[in-house]
């Protein structure tokens, strides 16, 4: 048995080779990112130089820009900047120590008096971005001349396999850093100017210094989202939008937001004039905003900042608080991003509310284009009130489907004593209008919102109440409650049934129940009908008929839901049947008519299974009717 050894403190040991390997191959899911990192470093170096100039340092007057040169013949790519450069010592320190960021140190060393504003554009902070170059490089040579030192320029060289060399450069070298990359066999595409330009446009299109590829300026559009709102014209916004989306039409609206606390972000959103690209390209894949960290793109079509129902917006979100070296996987879980999302969502909704109030025409145009997607917001309980206020509806208040109302406008038109908001769902305006469920509401002059899309009832359900008024389907409207409201239409009051007739009517109802059997749960007198002879309603408190239909489709249920048949004693046809029934309790025509009325209602509700019986009965009825006339 060996003796137990004493306690001790140990340092982790690292195989630098392997560590570099992991770093290079797992930090980024996309190889072209190395260019973004090199451009970001160059931009930082230029920023530092500008900063020193501001502090009063005398520096040689060179254009502050980033020059990229492609050499497909030699399979090399060169990235040069006229920034601060590095001394020999700095190169050893910054490029030779993994996870050492000279930039972070620079920011830390700035005196306390320096305002955050001045360092706002500086990107680097982790000291790992540079190594991403080894995803594409066999060998990298960094030649640098520091602005702060008289020593000659040095070249740092490495193949990324764990060692590097540093040697002085003969002759004159200008200020700044030049990175020469010998590309791997499978990465020679990065010596092609077109490939490089498109990569720069995609990831670094908004860097604040000119980025030149073989002498051509590639970043031509300004990062408008970081500029003060009052300085930007509508033309500039439109131009930016078109550069961003390739949309040929100007946007309907621009939403430019910025915040400093608790989290810093700038965002610029646009409402496209048409939603066609979203719908045709498949909404799921297409939507999303571009996420930037200090002008550098970190994710295209990010779907976490804006909730799905605001996904019709296109645009950009930029935050200084997000780390640049963040992968897609960790983005989703990023708490900061969630905070930004909450803020952005609130502010977008309140912007839209203001627009709806001040410029209802534009808002309605937005609604007509994007309302379908917006309705998905019924699941956002946090912003329920704002969501409800932004909804628009077709309504009995208007003569056609062009008119739109908000819930608030509906409330302003409500009858005295009315304490519920009524709606009715159906396939089309025509279908809704002919529903017997509207008769009583129409007689009372009560407005009804018309819903034509399956999602609408989920929306109504989720909203539940608005400003203390319950949203109620006309199918569930309480006749007793409505009866208290005064009639607005001149109703030709039908002659009341005598007590005796009423007793016979009760008999007719139970005869009808016998005829229909299990197809209805009940046959009863209707209090809600004015014109129609009958209406089918759901047993009290159950779902509306259209909701039932959706549920049945979802659960593959083919049975017919339970129904109550209500009969209108004031209807002429019903009165005729009543007289026939009075004479002959078993009159076969009463059977025929009852079947026919029931099936016609089922047909309108979309539940008729067998049209043959119905058609046969129509013929039979016509024969009966013509017999009398012909004789
Ligand atoms: P980060 O940018 O997060 O600090 P990098 O790995 O990208 O980390 O870069 C490491 C360091 O190397 C930087 O902090 C900076 O000090 C130095 N550096 C890299 N590129 C340049 C450059 N073009 N000019 C001057 N210094 C640079
Ligand atoms: Mg960097």
């Amino acid at each position: 048995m060996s003796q137990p050894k004493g306690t001790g403190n140990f340092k982790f040991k690292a195989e630098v080779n392997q560590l570099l390997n992991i770093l290079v191959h797992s930090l980024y899911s996309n190889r072209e990112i190395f260019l973004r990192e090199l451009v970001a470093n160059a931009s930082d170096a230029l920023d530092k130089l500008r900063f020193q100039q501001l502090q009063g340092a005398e520096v040689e007057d060179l254009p502050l820009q980033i020059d990229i040169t492609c050499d497909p013949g030699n399979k090399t790519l060169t990235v040069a900047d006229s920034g601060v450069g590095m001394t020999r010592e700095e190169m050893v320190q910054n490029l030779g120590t993994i996870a050492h960021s000279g930039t972070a140190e620079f920011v830390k060393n700035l005196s306390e008096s320096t305002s955050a504003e001045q360092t706002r554009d500086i990107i680097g902070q982790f000291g790992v971005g540079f190594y991403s170059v080894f995803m594409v490089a066999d060998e990298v040579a960094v030649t640098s001349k520091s602005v702060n030192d008289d020593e000659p320029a040095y070249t740092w060289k490495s193949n990324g396999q764990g060692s590097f060399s540093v040697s002085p450069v003969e002759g004159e070298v200008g200020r700044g850093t030049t990175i020469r990359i010998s590309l791997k066999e499978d990465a020679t595409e990065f010596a092609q100017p077109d490939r490089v330009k498109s990569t720069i446009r995609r990831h670094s299109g908004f860097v604040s210094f000119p980025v030149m590829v073989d002498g051509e300026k590639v970043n031509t559009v300004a990062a408008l989202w970081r500029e003060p709102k009052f300085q930007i014209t509508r033309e500039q916004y439109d131009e930016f939008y078109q550069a961003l989306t390739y949309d040929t039409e100007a946007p309907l609206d621009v939403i430019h937001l910025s915040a400093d606390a608790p989290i810093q972000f700038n965002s610029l959103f646009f409402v496209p004039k048409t939603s066609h690209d979203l719908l045709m390209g498949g909404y799921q894949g297409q939507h999303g905003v571009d996420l930037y960290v200090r002008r550098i793109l970190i994710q295209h079509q990010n779907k976490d900042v804006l909730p799905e129902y605001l996904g019709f917006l296109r645009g950009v979100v930029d935050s200084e608080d997000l780390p640049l070296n963040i992968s897609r996987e960790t983005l989703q879980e990023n708490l900061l991003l969630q905070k930004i999302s909450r803020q952005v969502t609130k502010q977008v909704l309140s912007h839209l509310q203001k627009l709806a109030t001040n410029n209802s025409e534009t808002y309605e145009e937005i609604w007509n284009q994007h309302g379908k997607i917006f309705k998905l917001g019924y699941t956002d309980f946090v912003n329920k009130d704002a969501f409800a206020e932004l909804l628009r509806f077709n309504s009995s208040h208007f003569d056609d489907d062009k008119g739109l109302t908000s819930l608030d406008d509906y409330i302003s038109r409500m009858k005295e004593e009315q304490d519920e908001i009524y709606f009715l769902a159906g396939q089309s305006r025509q279908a809704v209008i002919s529903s017997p469920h509207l008769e009583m509401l129409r007689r009372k002059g009560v407005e009804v919102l018309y819903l034509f899309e399956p999602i609408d009832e989920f929306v109504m359900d989720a909203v539940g109440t608005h400003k203390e008024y319950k949203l109620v389907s006309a199918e569930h409207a309480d006749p007793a409650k409505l009866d208290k409201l005064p009639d607005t239409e001149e109703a030709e009051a039908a002659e009341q049934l005598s007590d005796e007739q009423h007793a016979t009517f009760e008999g007719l109802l139970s005869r009808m129940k016998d005829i229909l059997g299990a197809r209805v749960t009940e046959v009863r007198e209707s209090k809600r009908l004015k014109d129609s002879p009958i209406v089918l309603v759901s047993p009290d408190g159950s779902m509306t008929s259209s909701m039932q239909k959706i549920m049945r489709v979802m659960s593959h249920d083919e049975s017919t839901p339970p129904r109550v048949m209500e009969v209108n004693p004031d209807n002429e046809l019903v009165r005729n049947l009543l007289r026939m029934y009075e004479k002959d309790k078993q009159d076969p025509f009463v059977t025929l008519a009852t079947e026919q009325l029931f099936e016609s209602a089922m047909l309108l509700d979309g539940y008729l299974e067998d049209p043959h019986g119905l058609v046969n009965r129509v013929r039979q009825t016509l024969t009966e009717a013509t017999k009398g006339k012909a004789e």
Side-chain angles (χ1 to χ4, degrees):
M1 277 237 299
S2 64
Q3 288 294 310
K5 310 245 165 81
T7 50
N9 284 312
F10 300 91
K11 280 215 161 137
F12 286 112
K13 286 182 187 161
E15 282 296 337
V16 178
N17 270 349
Q18 288 193 20
L19 205 57
L20 272 175
N21 222 17
I22 294 170
L23 208 60
V24 162
H25 292 105
S26 56
L27 203 54
Y28 303 102
S29 30
N30 186 356
R31 281 206 309 185
E32 67 184 33
I33 289 300
F34 83 92
L35 252 179
R36 177 190 86 175
E37 295 296 334
L38 296 185
V39 170
N41 286 347
S43 167
D44 279 352
L46 289 162
D47 256 324
K48 290 176 202 168
L49 186 93
R50 196 161 58 183
F51 186 75
Q52 296 196 357
Q53 275 179 319
L54 285 174
Q55 307 278 79
E58 283 280 330
V59 295
E60 194 191 343
D61 191 17
L62 296 172
L64 299 186
Q65 65 182 44
I66 301 163
D67 277 296
I68 300 177
T69 323
C70 302
D71 185 347
N74 287 314
K75 297 174 191 161
T76 62
L77 177 71
T78 308
V79 180
D81 66 69
S82 50
V84 279
M86 285 175 278
T87 60
R88 179 181 188 279
E89 197 190 334
E90 281 169 336
M91 281 208 274
V92 172
Q93 176 79 298
N94 296 335
L95 307 180
T97 319
I98 298 169
H100 175 88
S101 169
T103 297
E105 207 159 278
F106 174 85
V107 173
K108 207 170 79 199
N109 288 342
L110 292 174
S111 63
E112 302 253 295
S113 62
T114 317
S115 75
E117 189 62 42
Q118 285 172 301
T119 56
R120 192 156 255 200
D121 283 332
I122 289 182
I123 303 155
Q125 50 183 322
F126 291 108
V128 287
F130 174 76
Y131 292 98
S132 62
V133 73
F134 290 110
M135 290 193 288
V136 298
D138 269 337
E139 192 186 64
V140 178
V142 182
T143 301
S144 200
K145 170 84 183 87
S146 170
V147 70
N148 297 317
D149 206 298
D150 286 336
E151 72 173 296
Y154 280 83
T155 296
W156 177 102
K157 235 187 229 174
S158 175
N159 58 8
Q161 300 292 317
S163 64
F164 60 89
S165 65
V166 185
S167 50
V169 185
E170 308 268 310
E172 270 298 292
V173 176
R175 180 191 76 216
T177 305
T178 299
I179 301 174
R180 188 166 182 279
I181 303 156
S182 304
L183 294 162
K184 286 183 178 168
E185 254 338 292
D186 65 357
T188 51
E189 60 190 288
F190 293 107
Q192 299 295 336
D194 286 345
R195 179 74 170 91
V196 172
K197 281 182 206 165
S198 68
T199 307
I200 298 285
R201 278 197 199 98
R202 189 155 41 243
H203 302 286
S204 319
F206 298 107
V207 165
S208 45
F209 300 95
V211 181
M212 319 292 286
V213 176
D214 293 341
E216 183 194 329
K217 189 174 175 199
V218 180
N219 56 336
T220 47
V221 184
L224 220 51
W225 65 87
R226 287 176 72 107
E227 286 174 24
K229 268 180 258 191
F230 63 88
Q231 286 179 7
I232 309 173
T233 64
R234 180 67 196 231
E235 284 68 37
Q236 280 176 297
Y237 278 131
D238 289 356
E239 209 178 299
F240 178 88
Y241 168 76
Q242 284 167 337
L244 186 82
T245 60
Y246 306 110
D247 195 342
T248 50
E249 287 176 305
L252 284 176
D253 192 29
V254 182
I255 309 176
H256 192 167
L257 309 170
S258 40
D260 275 315
I263 327 147
Q264 191 284 333
F265 70 84
N266 293 294
S267 67
L268 184 51
F269 300 124
F270 300 91
V271 183
K273 189 154 188 166
T274 42
S275 56
H276 56 80
D277 62 326
L278 291 178
L279 294 175
M280 279 184 347
Y283 172 70
Q284 287 303 330
Q286 286 292 318
H287 76 108
V289 296
D290 291 341
L291 189 58
Y292 284 79
V293 174
R294 301 169 194 237
R295 296 166 196 262
I296 302 290
L297 182 71
I298 59 167
Q299 196 185 15
H300 182 51
Q301 291 185 337
N302 170 287
K303 294 182 177 53
D304 302 315
V305 172
L306 283 179
E308 190 183 16
Y309 71 100
L310 295 178
F312 60 89
L313 296 172
R314 309 295 299 273
V316 171
V317 177
D318 187 322
S319 174
E320 291 168 14
D321 295 340
L322 283 172
L324 179 66
N325 296 72
I326 189 168
S327 74
R328 265 150 220 250
E329 293 70 36
T330 51
L331 252 182
Q332 267 172 358
E333 282 146 32
N334 192 286
L335 277 178
L336 264 165
L337 203 60
Q338 289 171 19
K339 279 191 194 150
I340 292 175
S341 169
R342 274 199 291 276
Q343 283 257 343
V344 164
T345 305
K346 271 217 164 53
Q347 292 196 26
V348 167
L349 291 175
S350 86
H351 170 96
L352 290 175
Q353 278 174 296
K354 262 183 239 140
L355 180 76
T357 314
N358 300 332
N359 186 349
S360 57
E361 211 170 295
T362 302
Y363 183 70
E364 288 190 5
E365 219 179 323
I366 294 175
W367 178 264
N368 287 330
Q369 272 306 318
H370 307 289
K372 266 196 176 78
I373 291 169
F374 183 79
K375 285 177 194 172
L376 296 171
Y378 74 88
T379 52
D380 183 355
F381 295 110
V382 177
N383 297 299
K384 197 177 112 176
D385 289 341
F387 170 76
E389 276 173 31
L390 285 167
L391 292 170
R392 292 295 175 272
F393 299 91
N394 296 111
S395 153
S396 62
H397 179 71
F398 305 105
D399 294 332
D400 56 32
D401 288 336
K402 289 199 192 83
L404 289 173
T405 181
S406 64
L407 289 174
D408 288 338
D409 286 347
Y410 177 103
I411 291 170
S412 72
R413 289 188 295 262
M414 268 168 52
K415 298 278 162 204
E416 229 172 288
E417 286 186 82
Q418 181 187 344
D419 64 354
E420 291 176 332
I421 297 172
Y422 297 100
F423 63 87
L424 189 60
Q427 297 278 344
S428 64
R429 191 177 188 91
Q430 201 48 49
V432 173
I433 284 178
S434 47
S435 166
H437 293 292
L438 286 188
E439 288 176 13
M440 181 137 191
L441 291 151
R442 203 176 280 141
R443 184 164 75 234
K444 300 296 180 184
V446 171
E447 180 174 351
V448 178
L449 302 173
Y450 295 163
L451 316 180
F452 304 134
E453 284 168 25
I455 191 177
D456 291 337
E457 285 203 281
F458 291 98
V459 171
M460 298 316 247
D461 212 45
V463 174
T465 49
H466 187 63
K467 309 251 159 95
E468 293 165 34
Y469 299 106
K470 216 170 144 205
L471 306 182
V472 177
S473 165
E475 290 183 39
H476 294 156
D478 178 3
K481 197 174 223 173
L482 288 174
D483 212 30
K484 294 199 192 102
L485 303 176
D487 283 357
T488 54
E489 282 178 17
E490 278 299 312
E492 272 176 56
E495 213 178 301
Q496 291 285 301
L497 294 179
S498 68
D499 283 355
E500 199 185 333
Q501 279 174 313
H502 207 266
T504 321
F505 182 61
E506 291 293 334
L508 175 64
L509 295 182
S510 64
R511 168 100 184 91
M512 287 176 154
K513 169 71 178 109
D514 287 345
I515 294 164
L516 296 173
R519 285 177 286 173
V520 290
T521 55
E522 193 188 344
V523 177
R524 67 184 180 214
E525 178 177 347
S526 176
K527 306 265 191 255
R528 67 186 94 211
L529 293 177
K530 185 189 147 218
D531 304 315
S532 308
I534 68 148
V535 61
L536 296 178
V537 299
S538 315
D540 297 322
S542 73
M543 277 177 264
T544 66
S545 56
S546 50
M547 196 68 139
Q548 248 163 14
K549 245 174 261 171
I550 296 167
M551 294 314 217
R552 274 160 35 97
V553 169
M554 289 187 347
S555 61
H556 304 286
D557 179 1
E558 304 204 332
S559 66
T560 313
R563 284 272 175 268
V564 172
M565 183 162 100
E566 289 193 355
V567 183
N568 176 8
D570 298 338
N571 174 273
E572 193 186 346
L573 168 57
V574 174
R575 287 279 165 109
N576 290 345
L577 291 177
L578 184 60
R579 274 195 297 277
M580 294 168 100
Y581 171 77
E582 217 171 358
K583 280 193 211 128
D584 175 3
K585 300 275 180 286
Q586 297 301 321
D587 191 328
F589 194 83
V590 171
T591 312
L592 185 74
T594 303
E595 290 276 358
Q596 196 65 11
L597 285 169
F598 174 76
E599 291 224 324
S600 310
M602 291 294 276
L603 177 69
L604 287 180
D605 274 2
Y607 284 115
L608 189 70
E609 276 154 21
D610 176 23
H612 295 95
L614 183 123
V615 170
N616 279 336
R617 258 180 275 106
V618 169
R619 291 192 185 133
Q620 236 177 307
T621 321
L622 286 174
T623 314
E624 292 280 331
T626 47
K627 223 192 279 171
K629 297 245 176 197
E631 271 158 18

